[in-house]
Amino acid sequence: MRTYLVTGGAGFIGSNYIHYMFEKYGDEIRIINVDALTYAGNLENLKDIENRANYTFVKADITDKDAIAAIFENNDIDRVVHFAAESHVDRSIKNPEVFVKTNVLGTAVMLNCAKAAWELPDGSFKENKKFLHVSTDEVYGSLPDDPDAYFYETSPIDPHSPYSSSKASSDLLVKAYMDTYKFPANITNCSNNYGPYQFPEKLIPLIINNALQGKKLPVYGDGKNVRDWLYVMDHAKAIDMVQEQGKLFERYNIGGHNEKQNIEIIEIILDTLCEMLPDSDPRKAHINRELITYVTDRKGHDRRYAIAPDKIREDLGWEPETMFKDGIRLTIQWYFENEDWMKNVTSGDYQKYYNDMYAGR
Ligand code: NAD
Ligand code: DAU
């Protein structure tokens, strides 16, 4: 039975990945989920699997060497899937230090503990041990508004925000371990994800939540920045394929070939909400385009991201399976059915964050 150490499994992508893995492998695998439960980590995301015999949750910070080393000492870990990170660009612009601590130092601790557990006396590694570092397309910087320009695995690393710089640094650390020690790892660089369990500081759940409440829909700058949206379960599948079928030491880009301007995304959400809500639902009355409010732009706002997923398609046969029109309906339906989840995560600290972030915008 393969044992997985998943970091950040209580967050958005990590919790979807854990669901995907249990759906795919059932009792054939064991998962240990290590998460510090920051504002973004939520054990409610995993309620339905928390009592499985082959699942364990450990509350620990990935920068805590002793805690992470102890997990490797007490378990024969076969796979590490490293999601844990500070993930929100706007927060990184306000408070960069924690991004360096978690994303850079935390990755160094994960690499070092895995290396210590997996390395043999001659410097080679035990068989069939693999580390997958989950990264982002933002490490490549920003593309011009040219439909033929894409990010490839060979594109230069050129991050702009404190978030993307910290992720690029962590990617380079993983590369250093692969180049120096032949440490058995892969790096994946994925585009923007959307789907269930996404924290509503991010564009899509923020717009769904605000629209349902008849609140303003804040659009940064001219609203024409482009992101390449991928349904989160397609990302989970790609991660598993890279880890099981990919070539060690390689980087794989993962993207949806689904580039949209932010304003288009907002309009699609408004139209889909109106289609899905029955006329009798009082929330329908206040959903309209007048809620769209152009606000001060994000500092250093990257203009366009677009992944060329050619390598993962050609080498592994992975392709995005969920069309945006279907994925957005699944996502909205999930938020309809999980109003309490949204209420819980938007109470308390999040309300303060929202007021601070959007004050004066
Ligand atoms: P998220 O913010 O929803 O979740 C992050 C998780 O990490 C949370 O559960 C949090 O509690 C945990 N965490 C944070 N600091 C920690 C620490 N010091 N120790 C242990 N746990 C800690 O993030 P997400 O959107 O799910 O992103 C997951 C990963 O995927 C990140 O590495 C991110 O860079 C990458 N990524 C995200 C996207 C996206 O669109 N969201 C796209 C590409 C790559
Ligand atoms: O590209 C992958 C990255 O996608 C991940 O690495 C990050 O972890 C993830 O947060 C995401 O980063 P973005 O900055 O692209 O996502 P966000 O949802 O914050 O913003 C998407 C776009 O929408 C971006 O151009 C900024 C804009 N935006 C965002 C918010 C929150 C708005 O116009 N208004 C808003 O209120």
Side-chain angles (χ1 to χ4, degrees):
M1 183 189 268
R2 281 202 301 269
T3 298
Y4 285 76
L5 173 49
V6 174
T7 70
F12 162 50
I13 306 177
S15 59
N16 278 287
Y17 168 81
I18 291 176
H19 281 113
Y20 173 83
M21 293 298 277
F22 280 135
E23 267 162 43
K24 175 162 184 197
Y25 294 106
D27 292 336
E28 287 168 31
I29 57 165
R30 185 173 157 236
I31 295 182
I32 302 169
N33 171 19
V34 179
D35 199 298
L37 299 182
T38 67
Y39 78 92
N42 186 348
L43 290 180
E44 267 191 68
N45 300 2
L46 297 158
K47 259 220 136 352
D48 52 332
I49 54 113
E50 69 188 3
N51 294 322
R52 287 187 78 108
N54 55 343
Y55 170 76
T56 312
F57 173 70
V58 179
K59 184 174 187 300
D61 194 307
I62 55 164
T63 63
D64 179 345
K65 283 187 224 171
D66 294 341
I68 301 300
I71 297 171
F72 278 96
E73 274 156 28
N74 298 330
N75 301 277
D76 183 13
I77 303 292
D78 301 299
R79 302 281 185 272
V80 174
V81 184
H82 178 37
F83 293 99
E86 287 292 333
S87 68
H88 193 42
V89 173
D90 291 326
R91 288 184 192 255
S92 82
I93 293 167
K94 286 219 161 173
N95 180 19
E97 287 91 343
V98 67
F99 284 73
V100 178
K101 185 171 180 226
T102 292
N103 300 1
V104 186
L105 179 61
T107 301
V109 168
M110 290 307 304
L111 288 166
N112 236 6
C113 290
K115 176 174 172 287
W118 293 348
E119 199 170 27
L120 294 166
D122 67 357
S124 65
F125 287 90
K126 290 180 187 166
E127 289 221 339
N128 202 16
K129 303 290 188 190
K130 298 180 186 183
F131 188 108
L132 189 141
H133 177 62
V134 180
S135 191
T136 167
D137 58 359
E138 298 199 12
V139 303
Y140 300 120
S142 183
L143 291 165
D145 282 330
D146 165 2
D148 293 327
Y150 285 103
F151 293 138
Y152 293 90
E153 288 80 359
T154 48
S155 298
I157 301 295
D158 183 24
H160 300 299
S161 72
Y163 162 70
S164 53
S165 304
S166 67
K167 289 298 290 187
S169 307
S170 63
D171 290 17
L172 291 176
L173 267 176
V174 179
K175 179 179 180 300
Y177 270 64
M178 296 193 287
D179 293 350
T180 307
Y181 309 111
K182 297 281 172 287
F183 179 77
N186 289 103
I187 300 171
T188 54
N189 294 89
C190 190
S191 62
N192 285 61
N193 285 217
Y194 69 101
Y197 305 109
Q198 188 167 30
F199 194 81
E201 65 190 351
K202 307 284 171 27
L203 181 71
I204 287 183
L206 186 145
I207 296 300
I208 295 171
N209 187 38
N210 280 19
L212 287 172
Q213 293 181 55
K215 282 169 70 176
K216 287 181 182 174
L217 310 177
V219 184
Y220 297 168
D222 64 3
K224 294 187 179 161
N225 298 65
V226 171
R227 297 293 182 264
D228 176 1
W229 294 94
L230 179 70
Y231 192 62
V232 63
M233 280 298 184
D234 288 344
H235 186 191
K237 180 173 181 181
I239 287 171
D240 182 44
M241 286 178 83
V242 167
Q243 196 159 44
E244 295 316 314
Q245 297 158 43
K247 269 208 302 310
L248 272 182
F249 315 118
E250 298 267 328
R251 175 193 289 276
Y252 291 87
N253 281 354
I254 305 170
H257 258 319
N258 179 45
E259 294 163 45
K260 297 210 182 313
Q261 293 182 342
N262 295 333
I263 190 68
E264 285 178 73
I265 291 286
I266 294 170
E267 287 170 354
I268 292 171
I269 293 173
L270 293 178
D271 292 347
T272 313
L273 281 170
C274 286
E275 277 165 33
M276 291 176 72
L277 284 170
D279 288 342
S280 56
D281 192 311
R283 294 173 299 181
K284 193 165 179 173
H286 53 235
I287 297 179
N288 63 64
R289 288 182 192 206
E290 279 168 30
L291 296 175
I292 294 174
T293 309
Y294 287 87
V295 299
T296 313
D297 207 355
R298 175 184 278 174
K299 288 194 172 84
H301 197 174
D302 286 338
R303 188 64 177 171
R304 173 171 170 260
Y305 303 146
I307 282 275
D310 303 18
K311 177 173 167 177
I312 189 168
R313 187 185 60 239
E314 283 160 21
D315 292 4
L316 308 182
W318 177 89
E319 279 194 292
E321 288 170 22
T322 314
M323 303 284 290
F324 190 74
K325 67 175 177 38
D326 301 324
I328 199 68
R329 287 183 83 91
L330 289 172
T331 304
I332 289 174
Q333 187 61 36
W334 187 87
Y335 284 99
F336 280 164
E337 287 166 8
N338 291 276
E339 275 186 81
D340 286 347
W341 183 95
M342 184 61 94
K343 276 194 195 123
N344 292 344
V345 302
T346 51
S347 58
D349 283 353
Y350 175 78
Q351 204 46 54
K352 183 177 175 318
Y353 162 85
Y354 191 87
N355 295 340
D356 289 352
M357 189 60 74
Y358 293 91
R361 263 188 153 145

